[in-house]
Amino acid sequence: GNAAEKLGLTEKAAFWNREAAIRGHARAQCMLAYSIIRAENADRDSLVEAAKWLILAFNQTDNLDEQLSGIINQEWQNVCSRLNEDDINEAQQQADAALAGE
């Protein structure tokens, strides 16, 4: 099964989690990144996407509790260990574009 299934997310739940992430919910963004990073078929593009969601979640410090901050930091280390600097910069640009409403 895929990472969403391992997290106990049905396809429908995974869909709504992504919708919530797009609308700016920090916890949903974190869960989405978490599931992308753990997908068996995670390639460079999907890891860049995961990094983007972590950056977006991290930008919402007001909405983060200690547990969520810890998960974001842990996943950030995880994703950074698998991407190079250009990839991280691309993720940052994607996050900036999302924040700008593009």
Side-chain angles (χ1 to χ4, degrees):
N2 63 21
E5 284 164 10
K6 287 184 189 129
L7 280 173
L9 287 177
T10 62
E11 260 180 59
K12 194 183 256 185
F15 170 84
W16 286 114
N17 187 74
R18 180 176 281 275
E19 285 295 300
I22 291 165
R23 293 197 173 102
H25 292 269
R27 187 170 293 278
Q29 290 169 341
C30 183
M31 284 180 68
L32 183 53
Y34 183 98
S35 61
I36 291 169
I37 290 166
R38 278 160 184 71
E40 285 154 27
N41 60 346
D43 58 10
R44 179 199 160 275
D45 287 346
S46 55
L47 291 172
V48 167
E49 186 196 353
K52 173 193 83 169
W53 290 119
L54 291 171
I55 292 165
L56 289 171
F58 193 71
N59 272 307
Q60 302 190 54
T61 32
D62 298 348
N63 300 325
L64 302 183
D65 55 38
E66 217 171 302
Q67 184 197 17
L68 197 54
S69 294
I71 294 169
I72 291 168
N73 283 319
Q74 186 185 327
E75 295 310 306
W76 181 252
Q77 299 299 323
N78 190 340
V79 84
C80 284
S81 70
R82 294 162 69 180
L83 293 173
N84 64 35
E85 201 177 331
D86 288 342
D87 299 333
I88 299 295
N89 288 337
E90 188 178 322
Q92 182 68 60
Q93 285 166 354
Q94 288 180 14
D96 291 342
L99 288 169
E102 291 166 20

mmCIF file of all heavy atoms in Angstrom, residues 37-83:
data_model
loop_
_atom_site.group_PDB
_atom_site.id
_atom_site.type_symbol
_atom_site.label_atom_id
_atom_site.label_comp_id
_atom_site.label_asym_id
_atom_site.label_seq_id
_atom_site.Cartn_x
_atom_site.Cartn_y
_atom_site.Cartn_z
ATOM 1 N N ILE A 37 6.936 11.879 1.605
ATOM 2 C CA ILE A 37 8.303 11.447 1.919
ATOM 3 C C ILE A 37 8.361 9.924 2.096
ATOM 4 O O ILE A 37 9.336 9.286 1.721
ATOM 5 C CB ILE A 37 8.822 12.174 3.186
ATOM 6 C CG1 ILE A 37 9.057 13.655 2.867
ATOM 7 C CG2 ILE A 37 10.111 11.531 3.708
ATOM 8 C CD1 ILE A 37 9.230 14.538 4.094
ATOM 9 N N ARG A 38 7.282 9.355 2.638
ATOM 10 C CA ARG A 38 7.265 7.923 2.905
ATOM 11 C C ARG A 38 6.722 7.078 1.757
ATOM 12 O O ARG A 38 6.700 5.859 1.856
ATOM 13 C CB ARG A 38 6.473 7.650 4.185
ATOM 14 C CG ARG A 38 7.337 7.878 5.388
ATOM 15 C CD ARG A 38 6.572 8.101 6.662
ATOM 16 N NE ARG A 38 7.538 8.390 7.719
ATOM 17 C CZ ARG A 38 8.227 9.520 7.798
ATOM 18 N NH1 ARG A 38 8.056 10.472 6.898
ATOM 19 N NH2 ARG A 38 9.095 9.720 8.767
ATOM 20 N N ALA A 39 6.295 7.712 0.693
ATOM 21 C CA ALA A 39 5.788 6.942 -0.456
ATOM 22 C C ALA A 39 6.922 6.131 -1.063
ATOM 23 O O ALA A 39 8.052 6.610 -1.166
ATOM 24 C CB ALA A 39 5.194 7.890 -1.490
ATOM 25 N N GLU A 40 6.615 4.906 -1.447
ATOM 26 C CA GLU A 40 7.653 4.027 -1.997
ATOM 27 C C GLU A 40 8.210 4.567 -3.313
ATOM 28 O O GLU A 40 9.349 4.316 -3.663
ATOM 29 C CB GLU A 40 7.077 2.617 -2.220
ATOM 30 C CG GLU A 40 6.913 1.843 -0.925
ATOM 31 C CD GLU A 40 5.836 0.774 -1.002
ATOM 32 O OE1 GLU A 40 5.578 0.272 -2.111
ATOM 33 O OE2 GLU A 40 5.255 0.455 0.052
ATOM 34 N N ASN A 41 7.385 5.301 -4.036
ATOM 35 C CA ASN A 41 7.799 5.804 -5.353
ATOM 36 C C ASN A 41 8.224 7.268 -5.306
ATOM 37 O O ASN A 41 8.175 7.961 -6.309
ATOM 38 C CB ASN A 41 6.653 5.626 -6.353
ATOM 39 C CG ASN A 41 5.407 6.383 -5.928
ATOM 40 O OD1 ASN A 41 5.310 6.820 -4.786
ATOM 41 N ND2 ASN A 41 4.459 6.525 -6.827
ATOM 42 N N ALA A 42 8.622 7.759 -4.127
ATOM 43 C CA ALA A 42 8.980 9.173 -3.986
ATOM 44 C C ALA A 42 10.203 9.493 -4.845
ATOM 45 O O ALA A 42 11.285 8.965 -4.625
ATOM 46 C CB ALA A 42 9.264 9.508 -2.527
ATOM 47 N N ASP A 43 10.014 10.330 -5.852
ATOM 48 C CA ASP A 43 11.129 10.765 -6.696
ATOM 49 C C ASP A 43 11.517 12.189 -6.313
ATOM 50 O O ASP A 43 10.948 12.769 -5.381
ATOM 51 C CB ASP A 43 10.748 10.657 -8.183
ATOM 52 C CG ASP A 43 9.516 11.487 -8.525
ATOM 53 O OD1 ASP A 43 9.052 12.287 -7.679
ATOM 54 O OD2 ASP A 43 9.017 11.335 -9.653
ATOM 55 N N ARG A 44 12.466 12.751 -7.047
ATOM 56 C CA ARG A 44 12.958 14.086 -6.739
ATOM 57 C C ARG A 44 11.824 15.104 -6.730
ATOM 58 O O ARG A 44 11.716 15.912 -5.804
ATOM 59 C CB ARG A 44 14.025 14.485 -7.750
ATOM 60 C CG ARG A 44 14.584 15.873 -7.521
ATOM 61 C CD ARG A 44 15.278 16.439 -8.750
ATOM 62 N NE ARG A 44 15.370 17.882 -8.646
ATOM 63 C CZ ARG A 44 14.416 18.725 -9.008
ATOM 64 N NH1 ARG A 44 13.273 18.280 -9.492
ATOM 65 N NH2 ARG A 44 14.587 20.027 -8.883
ATOM 66 N N ASP A 45 10.969 15.074 -7.749
ATOM 67 C CA ASP A 45 9.893 16.066 -7.837
ATOM 68 C C ASP A 45 8.942 15.980 -6.652
ATOM 69 O O ASP A 45 8.508 17.000 -6.125
ATOM 70 C CB ASP A 45 9.106 15.901 -9.141
ATOM 71 C CG ASP A 45 9.896 16.389 -10.355
ATOM 72 O OD1 ASP A 45 10.914 17.080 -10.162
ATOM 73 O OD2 ASP A 45 9.488 16.071 -11.485
ATOM 74 N N SER A 46 8.618 14.762 -6.243
ATOM 75 C CA SER A 46 7.698 14.644 -5.110
ATOM 76 C C SER A 46 8.374 15.051 -3.802
ATOM 77 O O SER A 46 7.730 15.638 -2.929
ATOM 78 C CB SER A 46 7.088 13.240 -5.023
ATOM 79 O OG SER A 46 8.070 12.256 -4.964
ATOM 80 N N LEU A 47 9.670 14.806 -3.671
ATOM 81 C CA LEU A 47 10.388 15.259 -2.474
ATOM 82 C C LEU A 47 10.491 16.781 -2.440
ATOM 83 O O LEU A 47 10.399 17.395 -1.369
ATOM 84 C CB LEU A 47 11.772 14.609 -2.397
ATOM 85 C CG LEU A 47 11.776 13.103 -2.115
ATOM 86 C CD1 LEU A 47 13.175 12.530 -2.263
ATOM 87 C CD2 LEU A 47 11.212 12.793 -0.729
ATOM 88 N N VAL A 48 10.665 17.402 -3.605
ATOM 89 C CA VAL A 48 10.652 18.871 -3.678
ATOM 90 C C VAL A 48 9.275 19.377 -3.242
ATOM 91 O O VAL A 48 9.174 20.348 -2.486
ATOM 92 C CB VAL A 48 11.004 19.376 -5.101
ATOM 93 C CG1 VAL A 48 10.690 20.858 -5.266
ATOM 94 C CG2 VAL A 48 12.482 19.125 -5.398
ATOM 95 N N GLU A 49 8.225 18.697 -3.690
ATOM 96 C CA GLU A 49 6.871 19.081 -3.282
ATOM 97 C C GLU A 49 6.701 18.947 -1.767
ATOM 98 O O GLU A 49 6.141 19.826 -1.108
ATOM 99 C CB GLU A 49 5.816 18.232 -4.003
ATOM 100 C CG GLU A 49 4.410 18.729 -3.705
ATOM 101 C CD GLU A 49 3.295 17.753 -4.046
ATOM 102 O OE1 GLU A 49 3.574 16.699 -4.658
ATOM 103 O OE2 GLU A 49 2.144 18.042 -3.686
ATOM 104 N N ALA A 50 7.210 17.844 -1.214
ATOM 105 C CA ALA A 50 7.132 17.632 0.234
ATOM 106 C C ALA A 50 7.845 18.760 0.971
ATOM 107 O O ALA A 50 7.336 19.302 1.960
ATOM 108 C CB ALA A 50 7.746 16.282 0.612
ATOM 109 N N ALA A 51 9.024 19.138 0.479
ATOM 110 C CA ALA A 51 9.783 20.238 1.091
ATOM 111 C C ALA A 51 8.977 21.528 1.034
ATOM 112 O O ALA A 51 8.930 22.299 2.003
ATOM 113 C CB ALA A 51 11.132 20.410 0.399
ATOM 114 N N LYS A 52 8.301 21.766 -0.103
ATOM 115 C CA LYS A 52 7.445 22.952 -0.244
ATOM 116 C C LYS A 52 6.376 22.975 0.845
ATOM 117 O O LYS A 52 6.173 23.992 1.508
ATOM 118 C CB LYS A 52 6.776 22.962 -1.621
ATOM 119 C CG LYS A 52 5.736 24.066 -1.777
ATOM 120 C CD LYS A 52 4.856 23.887 -2.999
ATOM 121 C CE LYS A 52 3.716 22.937 -2.730
ATOM 122 N NZ LYS A 52 2.698 22.936 -3.793
ATOM 123 N N TRP A 53 5.700 21.841 1.061
ATOM 124 C CA TRP A 53 4.635 21.799 2.079
ATOM 125 C C TRP A 53 5.208 22.034 3.478
ATOM 126 O O TRP A 53 4.566 22.683 4.310
ATOM 127 C CB TRP A 53 3.894 20.460 2.022
ATOM 128 C CG TRP A 53 3.048 20.300 0.798
ATOM 129 C CD1 TRP A 53 3.176 19.346 -0.169
ATOM 130 C CD2 TRP A 53 1.954 21.135 0.379
ATOM 131 N NE1 TRP A 53 2.219 19.541 -1.152
ATOM 132 C CE2 TRP A 53 1.471 20.624 -0.840
ATOM 133 C CE3 TRP A 53 1.344 22.274 0.931
ATOM 134 C CZ2 TRP A 53 0.388 21.195 -1.525
ATOM 135 C CZ3 TRP A 53 0.282 22.849 0.247
ATOM 136 C CH2 TRP A 53 -0.193 22.317 -0.961
ATOM 137 N N LEU A 54 6.409 21.514 3.729
ATOM 138 C CA LEU A 54 7.029 21.732 5.048
ATOM 139 C C LEU A 54 7.366 23.206 5.250
ATOM 140 O O LEU A 54 7.166 23.749 6.340
ATOM 141 C CB LEU A 54 8.287 20.866 5.199
ATOM 142 C CG LEU A 54 8.030 19.363 5.312
ATOM 143 C CD1 LEU A 54 9.338 18.596 5.222
ATOM 144 C CD2 LEU A 54 7.287 19.024 6.608
ATOM 145 N N ILE A 55 7.865 23.852 4.197
ATOM 146 C CA ILE A 55 8.169 25.290 4.286
ATOM 147 C C ILE A 55 6.887 26.067 4.569
ATOM 148 O O ILE A 55 6.856 26.951 5.430
ATOM 149 C CB ILE A 55 8.839 25.797 2.990
ATOM 150 C CG1 ILE A 55 10.243 25.186 2.839
ATOM 151 C CG2 ILE A 55 8.915 27.329 2.978
ATOM 152 C CD1 ILE A 55 10.838 25.341 1.440
ATOM 153 N N LEU A 56 5.813 25.723 3.853
ATOM 154 C CA LEU A 56 4.536 26.413 4.052
ATOM 155 C C LEU A 56 4.013 26.197 5.469
ATOM 156 O O LEU A 56 3.535 27.139 6.109
ATOM 157 C CB LEU A 56 3.512 25.942 3.016
ATOM 158 C CG LEU A 56 3.780 26.419 1.583
ATOM 159 C CD1 LEU A 56 2.852 25.721 0.604
ATOM 160 C CD2 LEU A 56 3.639 27.942 1.477
ATOM 161 N N ALA A 57 4.119 24.972 5.969
ATOM 162 C CA ALA A 57 3.665 24.682 7.332
ATOM 163 C C ALA A 57 4.518 25.439 8.350
ATOM 164 O O ALA A 57 4.000 26.036 9.299
ATOM 165 C CB ALA A 57 3.719 23.178 7.603
ATOM 166 N N PHE A 58 5.823 25.440 8.109
ATOM 167 C CA PHE A 58 6.762 26.089 9.027
ATOM 168 C C PHE A 58 6.527 27.595 9.107
ATOM 169 O O PHE A 58 6.789 28.218 10.127
ATOM 170 C CB PHE A 58 8.188 25.791 8.572
ATOM 171 C CG PHE A 58 9.221 26.147 9.603
ATOM 172 C CD1 PHE A 58 9.346 25.387 10.752
ATOM 173 C CD2 PHE A 58 10.060 27.227 9.428
ATOM 174 C CE1 PHE A 58 10.290 25.710 11.717
ATOM 175 C CE2 PHE A 58 11.014 27.560 10.384
ATOM 176 C CZ PHE A 58 11.129 26.788 11.537
ATOM 177 N N ASN A 59 6.019 28.179 8.017
ATOM 178 C CA ASN A 59 5.733 29.612 7.986
ATOM 179 C C ASN A 59 4.564 30.010 8.880
ATOM 180 O O ASN A 59 4.343 31.195 9.106
ATOM 181 C CB ASN A 59 5.439 30.063 6.543
ATOM 182 C CG ASN A 59 6.707 30.441 5.816
ATOM 183 O OD1 ASN A 59 7.480 31.257 6.298
ATOM 184 N ND2 ASN A 59 6.938 29.835 4.666
ATOM 185 N N GLN A 60 3.816 29.019 9.347
ATOM 186 C CA GLN A 60 2.630 29.310 10.155
ATOM 187 C C GLN A 60 2.899 29.079 11.629
ATOM 188 O O GLN A 60 2.184 28.327 12.275
ATOM 189 C CB GLN A 60 1.488 28.414 9.712
ATOM 190 C CG GLN A 60 1.154 28.568 8.269
ATOM 191 C CD GLN A 60 -0.127 27.850 7.976
ATOM 192 O OE1 GLN A 60 -1.128 28.089 8.635
ATOM 193 N NE2 GLN A 60 -0.086 26.960 7.030
ATOM 194 N N THR A 61 3.903 29.737 12.142
ATOM 195 C CA THR A 61 4.306 29.468 13.532
ATOM 196 C C THR A 61 3.160 29.636 14.524
ATOM 197 O O THR A 61 3.109 28.934 15.515
ATOM 198 C CB THR A 61 5.490 30.361 13.937
ATOM 199 O OG1 THR A 61 5.368 31.605 13.241
ATOM 200 C CG2 THR A 61 6.811 29.731 13.559
ATOM 201 N N ASP A 62 2.219 30.528 14.235
ATOM 202 C CA ASP A 62 1.089 30.744 15.157
ATOM 203 C C ASP A 62 0.223 29.500 15.315
ATOM 204 O O ASP A 62 -0.393 29.290 16.353
ATOM 205 C CB ASP A 62 0.189 31.882 14.653
ATOM 206 C CG ASP A 62 0.937 33.198 14.595
ATOM 207 O OD1 ASP A 62 2.053 33.275 15.143
ATOM 208 O OD2 ASP A 62 0.411 34.155 13.993
ATOM 209 N N ASN A 63 0.142 28.696 14.234
ATOM 210 C CA ASN A 63 -0.735 27.527 14.245
ATOM 211 C C ASN A 63 -0.022 26.241 14.648
ATOM 212 O O ASN A 63 -0.614 25.177 14.587
ATOM 213 C CB ASN A 63 -1.352 27.326 12.855
ATOM 214 C CG ASN A 63 -2.174 28.515 12.433
ATOM 215 O OD1 ASN A 63 -2.814 29.153 13.262
ATOM 216 N ND2 ASN A 63 -2.156 28.829 11.152
ATOM 217 N N LEU A 64 1.239 26.341 15.041
ATOM 218 C CA LEU A 64 2.018 25.131 15.321
ATOM 219 C C LEU A 64 2.140 24.906 16.820
ATOM 220 O O LEU A 64 2.542 25.801 17.552
ATOM 221 C CB LEU A 64 3.421 25.251 14.712
ATOM 222 C CG LEU A 64 3.492 25.478 13.207
ATOM 223 C CD1 LEU A 64 4.948 25.506 12.760
ATOM 224 C CD2 LEU A 64 2.740 24.413 12.443
ATOM 225 N N ASP A 65 1.793 23.703 17.250
ATOM 226 C CA ASP A 65 2.106 23.327 18.621
ATOM 227 C C ASP A 65 3.481 22.657 18.629
ATOM 228 O O ASP A 65 4.080 22.442 17.577
ATOM 229 C CB ASP A 65 1.015 22.423 19.211
ATOM 230 C CG ASP A 65 0.747 21.188 18.368
ATOM 231 O OD1 ASP A 65 1.722 20.616 17.816
ATOM 232 O OD2 ASP A 65 -0.414 20.786 18.246
ATOM 233 N N GLU A 66 3.940 22.332 19.807
ATOM 234 C CA GLU A 66 5.300 21.774 19.940
ATOM 235 C C GLU A 66 5.449 20.472 19.177
ATOM 236 O O GLU A 66 6.456 20.237 18.509
ATOM 237 C CB GLU A 66 5.606 21.548 21.424
ATOM 238 C CG GLU A 66 7.036 21.841 21.791
ATOM 239 C CD GLU A 66 7.237 21.813 23.303
ATOM 240 O OE1 GLU A 66 6.559 22.585 24.008
ATOM 241 O OE2 GLU A 66 8.067 21.007 23.744
ATOM 242 N N GLN A 67 4.421 19.623 19.253
ATOM 243 C CA GLN A 67 4.472 18.320 18.576
ATOM 244 C C GLN A 67 4.584 18.511 17.068
ATOM 245 O O GLN A 67 5.423 17.888 16.418
ATOM 246 C CB GLN A 67 3.221 17.508 18.914
ATOM 247 C CG GLN A 67 3.267 16.104 18.315
ATOM 248 C CD GLN A 67 1.897 15.446 18.290
ATOM 249 O OE1 GLN A 67 0.877 16.099 18.414
ATOM 250 N NE2 GLN A 67 1.889 14.141 18.115
ATOM 251 N N LEU A 68 3.754 19.394 16.528
ATOM 252 C CA LEU A 68 3.753 19.610 15.083
ATOM 253 C C LEU A 68 5.075 20.225 14.636
ATOM 254 O O LEU A 68 5.645 19.819 13.625
ATOM 255 C CB LEU A 68 2.572 20.507 14.688
ATOM 256 C CG LEU A 68 2.183 20.525 13.213
ATOM 257 C CD1 LEU A 68 1.938 19.124 12.676
ATOM 258 C CD2 LEU A 68 0.949 21.386 13.011
ATOM 259 N N SER A 69 5.580 21.188 15.390
ATOM 260 C CA SER A 69 6.888 21.781 15.083
ATOM 261 C C SER A 69 7.973 20.720 15.052
ATOM 262 O O SER A 69 8.840 20.730 14.173
ATOM 263 C CB SER A 69 7.262 22.838 16.123
ATOM 264 O OG SER A 69 6.389 23.931 16.038
ATOM 265 N N GLY A 70 7.918 19.802 16.006
ATOM 266 C CA GLY A 70 8.899 18.718 16.075
ATOM 267 C C GLY A 70 8.839 17.822 14.847
ATOM 268 O O GLY A 70 9.872 17.452 14.290
ATOM 269 N N ILE A 71 7.611 17.488 14.422
ATOM 270 C CA ILE A 71 7.442 16.638 13.242
ATOM 271 C C ILE A 71 7.966 17.363 12.005
ATOM 272 O O ILE A 71 8.664 16.772 11.174
ATOM 273 C CB ILE A 71 5.961 16.241 13.046
ATOM 274 C CG1 ILE A 71 5.501 15.349 14.211
ATOM 275 C CG2 ILE A 71 5.759 15.514 11.715
ATOM 276 C CD1 ILE A 71 3.999 15.131 14.253
ATOM 277 N N ILE A 72 7.635 18.646 11.881
ATOM 278 C CA ILE A 72 8.088 19.420 10.722
ATOM 279 C C ILE A 72 9.616 19.449 10.666
ATOM 280 O O ILE A 72 10.206 19.214 9.613
ATOM 281 C CB ILE A 72 7.506 20.852 10.744
ATOM 282 C CG1 ILE A 72 5.995 20.804 10.494
ATOM 283 C CG2 ILE A 72 8.190 21.731 9.696
ATOM 284 C CD1 ILE A 72 5.285 22.105 10.776
ATOM 285 N N ASN A 73 10.249 19.715 11.794
ATOM 286 C CA ASN A 73 11.717 19.756 11.832
ATOM 287 C C ASN A 73 12.326 18.399 11.473
ATOM 288 O O ASN A 73 13.303 18.329 10.719
ATOM 289 C CB ASN A 73 12.205 20.205 13.214
ATOM 290 C CG ASN A 73 12.045 21.704 13.391
ATOM 291 O OD1 ASN A 73 12.304 22.474 12.472
ATOM 292 N ND2 ASN A 73 11.604 22.126 14.560
ATOM 293 N N GLN A 74 11.726 17.338 11.989
ATOM 294 C CA GLN A 74 12.210 15.981 11.718
ATOM 295 C C GLN A 74 12.080 15.657 10.231
ATOM 296 O O GLN A 74 13.013 15.142 9.605
ATOM 297 C CB GLN A 74 11.381 15.002 12.552
ATOM 298 C CG GLN A 74 11.842 13.569 12.491
ATOM 299 C CD GLN A 74 10.875 12.670 13.264
ATOM 300 O OE1 GLN A 74 10.291 13.080 14.265
ATOM 301 N NE2 GLN A 74 10.689 11.459 12.784
ATOM 302 N N GLU A 75 10.911 15.976 9.661
ATOM 303 C CA GLU A 75 10.686 15.689 8.243
ATOM 304 C C GLU A 75 11.570 16.568 7.363
ATOM 305 O O GLU A 75 11.997 16.148 6.283
ATOM 306 C CB GLU A 75 9.210 15.871 7.882
ATOM 307 C CG GLU A 75 8.292 14.878 8.565
ATOM 308 C CD GLU A 75 8.767 13.441 8.408
ATOM 309 O OE1 GLU A 75 8.986 12.997 7.270
ATOM 310 O OE2 GLU A 75 8.922 12.747 9.436
ATOM 311 N N TRP A 76 11.836 17.796 7.805
ATOM 312 C CA TRP A 76 12.721 18.693 7.054
ATOM 313 C C TRP A 76 14.121 18.085 6.962
ATOM 314 O O TRP A 76 14.730 18.070 5.895
ATOM 315 C CB TRP A 76 12.754 20.071 7.715
ATOM 316 C CG TRP A 76 13.612 21.043 6.995
ATOM 317 C CD1 TRP A 76 14.814 21.529 7.386
ATOM 318 C CD2 TRP A 76 13.337 21.658 5.716
ATOM 319 N NE1 TRP A 76 15.306 22.404 6.448
ATOM 320 C CE2 TRP A 76 14.426 22.500 5.417
ATOM 321 C CE3 TRP A 76 12.276 21.577 4.809
ATOM 322 C CZ2 TRP A 76 14.488 23.250 4.240
ATOM 323 C CZ3 TRP A 76 12.341 22.320 3.640
ATOM 324 C CH2 TRP A 76 13.435 23.148 3.363
ATOM 325 N N GLN A 77 14.638 17.577 8.092
ATOM 326 C CA GLN A 77 15.947 16.909 8.089
ATOM 327 C C GLN A 77 15.924 15.723 7.123
ATOM 328 O O GLN A 77 16.864 15.502 6.356
ATOM 329 C CB GLN A 77 16.310 16.390 9.494
ATOM 330 C CG GLN A 77 16.411 17.467 10.569
ATOM 331 C CD GLN A 77 17.475 18.500 10.283
ATOM 332 O OE1 GLN A 77 18.532 18.159 9.765
ATOM 333 N NE2 GLN A 77 17.201 19.750 10.578
ATOM 334 N N ASN A 78 14.830 14.974 7.172
ATOM 335 C CA ASN A 78 14.664 13.779 6.349
ATOM 336 C C ASN A 78 14.711 14.149 4.862
ATOM 337 O O ASN A 78 15.458 13.564 4.084
ATOM 338 C CB ASN A 78 13.314 13.130 6.714
ATOM 339 C CG ASN A 78 13.126 11.763 6.106
ATOM 340 O OD1 ASN A 78 13.779 11.409 5.132
ATOM 341 N ND2 ASN A 78 12.223 10.994 6.676
ATOM 342 N N VAL A 79 13.926 15.155 4.483
ATOM 343 C CA VAL A 79 13.835 15.524 3.068
ATOM 344 C C VAL A 79 15.131 16.199 2.597
ATOM 345 O O VAL A 79 15.590 15.951 1.485
ATOM 346 C CB VAL A 79 12.565 16.374 2.793
ATOM 347 C CG1 VAL A 79 12.761 17.843 3.072
ATOM 348 C CG2 VAL A 79 12.079 16.177 1.375
ATOM 349 N N CYS A 80 15.742 16.994 3.461
ATOM 350 C CA CYS A 80 16.995 17.672 3.084
ATOM 351 C C CYS A 80 18.137 16.682 2.872
ATOM 352 O O CYS A 80 19.039 16.940 2.085
ATOM 353 C CB CYS A 80 17.388 18.710 4.126
ATOM 354 S SG CYS A 80 16.391 20.198 4.031
ATOM 355 N N SER A 81 18.073 15.566 3.565
ATOM 356 C CA SER A 81 19.126 14.559 3.400
ATOM 357 C C SER A 81 19.019 13.863 2.043
ATOM 358 O O SER A 81 19.947 13.194 1.611
ATOM 359 C CB SER A 81 19.057 13.527 4.532
ATOM 360 O OG SER A 81 17.903 12.714 4.372
ATOM 361 N N ARG A 82 17.865 14.034 1.373
ATOM 362 C CA ARG A 82 17.649 13.355 0.094
ATOM 363 C C ARG A 82 17.603 14.319 -1.095
ATOM 364 O O ARG A 82 17.439 13.893 -2.228
ATOM 365 C CB ARG A 82 16.337 12.563 0.170
ATOM 366 C CG ARG A 82 16.432 11.426 1.186
ATOM 367 C CD ARG A 82 15.086 10.904 1.601
ATOM 368 N NE ARG A 82 14.405 10.195 0.519
ATOM 369 C CZ ARG A 82 13.201 9.644 0.656
ATOM 370 N NH1 ARG A 82 12.567 9.720 1.805
ATOM 371 N NH2 ARG A 82 12.640 9.026 -0.357
ATOM 372 N N LEU A 83 17.761 15.611 -0.826
ATOM 373 C CA LEU A 83 17.734 16.611 -1.898
ATOM 374 C C LEU A 83 19.010 17.442 -1.865
ATOM 375 O O LEU A 83 19.652 17.548 -0.826
ATOM 376 C CB LEU A 83 16.526 17.546 -1.725
ATOM 377 C CG LEU A 83 15.142 16.933 -1.922
ATOM 378 C CD1 LEU A 83 14.060 17.944 -1.552
ATOM 379 C CD2 LEU A 83 14.946 16.442 -3.345
#
